């Protein structure tokens, strides 16, 4: 269990702004009381595969804070310098491993609880074969090797068809579809691979169809804030989006280890609101003291999902839209660091 002094993510813990990256990452890795309780009731240790992505570091640190008596292991190629040291400084063990290497995966410790974060996203042009290998072959190797574990595997809402957001969004009952572009199709392959091995071996799991994460350094809000501040034209055709504070998201990922099913089933993880791009841009305009420039009008369809099942199971996120808007405006307005990796939420042809 955490000590009485362990800080938790609550409505009362929200800062006015973030001083720097260190302050942001400390806050973003706070566990909720529910995460602490769920992980305390979970048997076995936790291993995060593909830990070195944008969300993995925060997830690993948060998990260790929530469950200090468990081993938390982060696995990655660790191609960028400093990643292992960064995790170890927070009590997270690290293992260097290429998940496409069957022998290397077979040599990993058999940990009871697996969170699978690995995969290739948009930067696949010219290496489509690697995209498919990372999004289908690596899951097959992991799912077969860790057949006796629980597996929570990250997926994406890009496996869904677009829909009219006024009708409530797409639920988990909607089957994944083949869409233009190879990324979304390869992720459908990832899901089907995990489901196949889950059924074959009776492995309990969840497929996390996750919405757009909000971090000060990237994400839908950061992109819109930059457009508004720089006087760029804001496209409105994709007029509504799902978003969620990254700290809330990683808490839900970890908690899903206690809510797995056999065979593995999908769950939409995101905020409860249908967020208007026009409203967000207008609010940033107020915060920056400028008038947003819009292009076009809202279409009657968007990539919008219904997250009611997750809200019923895990509760609503702690962080709501308004504090995120203020945080992002301050971060962007003061020129703090950004990743430079756009979400491409406005892209409507599925080809990224």
């Amino acid at each position: 269990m955490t000590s009485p002094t362990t800080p938790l993510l609550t409505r009362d813990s929200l800062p006015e702004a973030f001083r720097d990256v260190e302050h942001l990452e400390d806050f973003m890795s706070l566990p909720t009381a529910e995460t602490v309780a769920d992980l305390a009731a979970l048997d076995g240790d936790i291993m995060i595969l593909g830990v070195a992505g944008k969300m993995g570091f925060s997830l690993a640190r948060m998990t260790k804070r929530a469950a200090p008596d468990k081993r938390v292991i982060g696995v990655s190629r660790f191609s960028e310098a400093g990643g292992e040291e960064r995790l170890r400084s927070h009590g997270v063990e690290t293992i260097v491993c290429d998940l496409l290497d069957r022998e290397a995966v077979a040599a990993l410790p058999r940990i009871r609880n697996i969170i699978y974060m690995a995969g290739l996203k948009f930067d696949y042009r010219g290496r489509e074969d690697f995209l498919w290998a990372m999004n289908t072959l690596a899951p097959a190797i992991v799912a077969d090797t860790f057949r006796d574990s629980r597996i929570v595997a990250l997926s994406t809402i890009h496996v869904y068809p677009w829909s009219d957001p006024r009708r409530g969004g797409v639920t988990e009952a909607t089957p994944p579809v083949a869409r233009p572009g190879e990324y979304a199709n390869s992720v459908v392959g990832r899901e089907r691979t995990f489901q196949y091995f889950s059924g074959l071996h009776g492995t309990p799991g969840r497929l996390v169809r996750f919405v757009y994460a909000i971090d000060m350094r990237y994400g839908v809000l950061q992109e819109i804030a930059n457009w508004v501040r720089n006087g760029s034209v804001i496209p409105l055709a994709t007029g509504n989006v799902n978003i969620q504070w990254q700290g809330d998201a990683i808490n839900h990922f970890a908690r899903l280890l206690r809510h797995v099913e056999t065979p593995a089933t999908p769950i939409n993880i995101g905020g409860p609101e249908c967020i208007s791009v026009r409203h967000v841009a207008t609010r940033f305009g107020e915060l920056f003291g400028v008038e947003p420039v819009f292009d076009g009008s809202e279409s009657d369809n968007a990539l919008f999902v219904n997250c009611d099942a997750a809200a019923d199971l895990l509760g609503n996120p702690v962080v709501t839209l308004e504090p995120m808007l203020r945080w992002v405006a301050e971060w962007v307005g003061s020129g703090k660091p950004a990743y430079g990796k756009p979400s491409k939420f406005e892209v409507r042809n599925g080809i990224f």
Side-chain angles (χ1 to χ4, degrees):
M1 296 291 291
T2 58
S3 70
T5 58
T6 299
L8 297 173
L9 175 60
T10 68
R11 288 288 298 163
D12 294 332
S13 70
L14 305 187
E16 287 299 315
F18 298 104
R19 296 183 299 274
D20 49 30
V21 169
E22 182 179 0
H23 182 203
L24 170 64
E25 292 188 346
D26 181 73
F27 177 77
M28 197 152 50
S29 61
L30 292 178
T32 63
E34 293 80 6
T35 302
V36 172
D38 273 348
L39 295 189
L42 189 72
D43 65 293
D45 297 317
I46 300 166
M47 187 156 62
I48 302 167
L49 304 181
V51 75
K54 292 193 297 292
M55 300 182 70
F57 286 104
S58 298
L59 172 63
R61 183 180 177 187
M62 182 279 297
T63 302
K64 188 63 180 178
R65 293 172 93 168
D69 296 330
K70 293 186 185 294
R71 291 178 72 195
V72 178
I73 305 169
V75 176
S76 172
R77 293 188 184 95
F78 291 109
S79 55
E80 294 186 11
E84 288 188 90
E85 292 77 8
R86 179 178 168 192
L87 287 171
R88 289 173 183 169
S89 70
H90 298 296
V92 178
E93 300 175 41
T94 61
I95 300 175
V96 177
C97 179
D98 180 352
L99 297 180
L100 289 171
D101 184 334
R102 292 179 185 273
E103 293 183 0
V105 174
L108 292 173
R110 295 300 186 270
I111 300 300
R112 187 72 180 91
N113 303 287
I114 302 295
I115 302 178
Y116 186 90
M117 304 283 287
L120 188 62
K121 198 173 182 182
F122 298 150
D123 54 344
Y124 63 83
R125 292 299 177 86
R127 50 178 183 160
E128 287 80 1
D129 54 346
F130 183 60
L131 170 77
W132 282 90
M134 278 304 304
N135 288 347
T136 59
L137 180 56
I141 294 170
V142 166
D144 197 36
T145 302
F146 291 95
R147 63 183 67 184
D148 298 320
S149 300
R150 304 178 186 92
I151 301 178
V152 171
L154 198 67
S155 185
T156 176
I157 60 174
H158 285 281
V159 301
Y160 280 129
W162 287 32
S163 65
D164 187 338
R166 296 169 297 183
R167 299 186 179 184
V170 180
T171 72
E172 294 87 347
T174 301
V177 296
R179 299 178 63 215
E182 294 198 48
Y183 166 65
N185 288 292
S186 72
V187 180
V188 174
R190 179 198 298 163
E191 287 197 5
R192 294 308 194 203
T193 299
F194 275 116
Q195 287 177 317
Y196 169 75
F197 283 101
S198 176
L200 181 66
H201 300 309
T203 305
R206 281 287 192 162
L207 305 168
V208 184
R209 293 174 178 168
F210 178 55
V211 307
Y212 297 107
I214 298 304
D215 179 330
M216 300 303 99
R217 295 161 292 185
Y218 76 99
V220 173
L221 297 188
Q222 192 252 15
E223 292 161 37
I224 296 174
N226 274 297
W227 289 342
V228 172
R229 186 167 181 263
N230 297 334
S232 302
V233 174
I234 301 161
L236 286 177
T238 301
N240 299 92
V241 292
N242 293 96
I243 60 172
Q244 187 177 29
W245 171 243
Q246 184 167 302
D248 278 308
I250 60 176
N251 272 275
H252 285 179
F253 295 170
R255 290 184 62 198
L256 282 173
L257 288 167
R258 277 207 73 207
H259 302 280
V260 289
E261 297 180 345
T262 308
T265 55
I267 185 167
N268 299 337
I269 294 292
E273 300 170 273
C274 180
I275 303 298
S276 161
V277 171
R278 186 187 295 271
H279 167 74
V280 166
T282 300
R283 185 74 182 98
F284 280 133
E286 294 169 355
L287 293 168
F288 290 135
V290 300
E291 191 70 27
V293 181
F294 296 109
D295 176 49
S297 59
E298 292 83 352
S299 171
D300 61 2
N301 62 71
L303 184 56
F304 186 80
V305 300
N306 183 298
C307 298
D308 289 351
D312 186 52
L313 180 68
L314 303 170
N316 282 325
V318 173
V319 181
T320 56
L321 177 62
E322 181 59 26
M324 287 190 281
L325 292 172
R326 295 196 304 268
W327 294 342
V328 170
E330 190 283 330
W331 189 275
V332 170
S334 58
K336 294 186 175 80
Y339 286 141
K341 296 182 177 181
S343 69
K344 305 186 181 182
F345 78 91
E346 78 282 9
V347 175
R348 297 182 61 81
N349 61 7
I351 300 173
F352 305 104

